[in-house]
Amino acid sequence: MDRERKQQTVAEFRAHPKDSGSTEVQVALITRHIEHLTGHLRANPMDNHSRRGLLKLVGHRRRLLVYLAREEPTRYTTLIGRLGLRR
């Protein structure tokens, strides 16, 4: 992910001007990375190293979403709505 897209994603999902690591920002960045890797794997289906990295990212995002759903259900529902996730 290039620097400008990362900064744009952080700016879109942060809670306050100095926020760069809240759960929402982390999930949004991981989602963007997952989207990028998914496209890469469509073009390179035999790249098992990237596939493993993708699976690790999906698991990390899932754990963060479970945490957010448990601690702040309203923030969770707004986040998955903004990201277009299925939960």
Side-chain angles (χ1 to χ4, degrees), residues 6-83:
K6 184 174 182 178
Q7 288 175 343
Q8 179 185 11
T9 303
V10 170
E12 183 180 347
F13 287 93
R14 65 183 169 198
H16 53 82
K18 292 192 176 215
D19 178 20
S20 63
S22 67
T23 307
E24 289 92 342
V25 172
Q26 290 180 47
V27 170
L29 289 174
I30 290 172
T31 300
R32 299 294 183 237
H33 199 146
I34 288 171
E35 291 168 357
H36 173 73
L37 279 176
T38 302
H40 170 77
L41 287 172
R42 283 197 180 108
N44 303 287
M46 299 298 224
D47 188 356
N48 291 318
H49 292 86
S50 294
R51 186 174 314 279
R52 180 170 190 266
L54 173 67
L55 292 175
K56 287 176 72 75
L57 284 173
V58 169
H60 188 197
R61 180 179 70 179
R62 186 182 59 77
R63 286 191 303 273
L64 285 171
L65 287 172
V66 166
Y67 163 77
L68 192 60
R70 183 181 67 235
E71 298 295 324
E72 298 279 342
T74 56
R75 286 172 50 196
Y76 169 77
T77 54
T78 57
L79 179 64
I80 61 170
R82 289 174 68 189
L83 288 173

